[in-house]
Amino acid sequence: MWASAIVAYFHYLSIGVIFASLAIEFFTLKEELTVKEAWRIVLADSAYGIGAIVILATGVLRVLYFAKDTAYYMNQPVFWAKITVYLIVGTVSLYPTISFLKWIKSLLEEKAPEMTINQYKRLKNIIVFELIGFSIIPLLASMMARGIGTNYLSSI
């Protein structure tokens, strides 16, 4: 029982870390960054990545060992919708992560990163997309936990 509670705790904590990280990125990102602001974004994106890995690992543990029977999840369409949203958001998030990692060399030389207006807009839009995606995932999880969506399959 303790293990289940701890795994669930880290699963939920990761959601908070992800939202906080994305909020930091969103509110810090601007067309012209200082070195300090760019480092803040790089570190926030690192926390986001760690949160995404922890939420995935704890999610797998919950499905396999600590929540409902595994078959429940495998036959739950809302579960697969949640996984799909997670994978889409995770894939889209690679662009900002790669962009931010490219800044590190100039940041180590105490130079602020340079971005085009198009790159800035693209990064900002992707961060908004990630925030929306990670807002939908808990809704889908809540629906899944309550069996919403399973009646649809049984009525076909």
Side-chain angles (χ1 to χ4, degrees), residues 110-145:
E110 293 296 318
K111 296 178 188 171
E114 295 179 15
M115 285 184 290
T116 65
I117 187 69
N118 287 337
Q119 185 181 23
Y120 161 75
K121 287 179 181 179
R122 190 175 308 117
L123 288 168
K124 201 76 160 177
N125 288 334
I126 290 172
I127 293 168
V128 169
F129 177 81
E130 291 171 295
L131 282 163
I132 292 168
F134 273 110
S135 294
I136 292 169
I137 290 171
L139 171 62
L140 293 171
S142 180
M143 291 169 60
M144 176 188 65

Side-chain angles (χ1 to χ4, degrees), residues 5-58:
I6 291 169
V7 169
Y9 168 75
F10 280 106
H11 194 69
Y12 303 139
L13 181 64
S14 296
I15 294 169
V17 168
I18 287 168
F19 277 107
S21 300
L22 288 171
I24 290 168
E25 289 180 21
F26 179 81
F27 289 113
T28 306
L29 187 66
K30 56 188 183 185
E31 291 178 51
E32 292 187 30
L33 294 167
T34 65
V35 171
K36 184 178 178 180
E37 290 166 333
W39 273 119
R40 185 178 302 133
I41 291 170
V42 169
L43 293 174
D45 198 63
S46 298
Y48 168 76
I50 291 167
I53 291 168
V54 172
I55 204 168
L56 178 63
T58 56

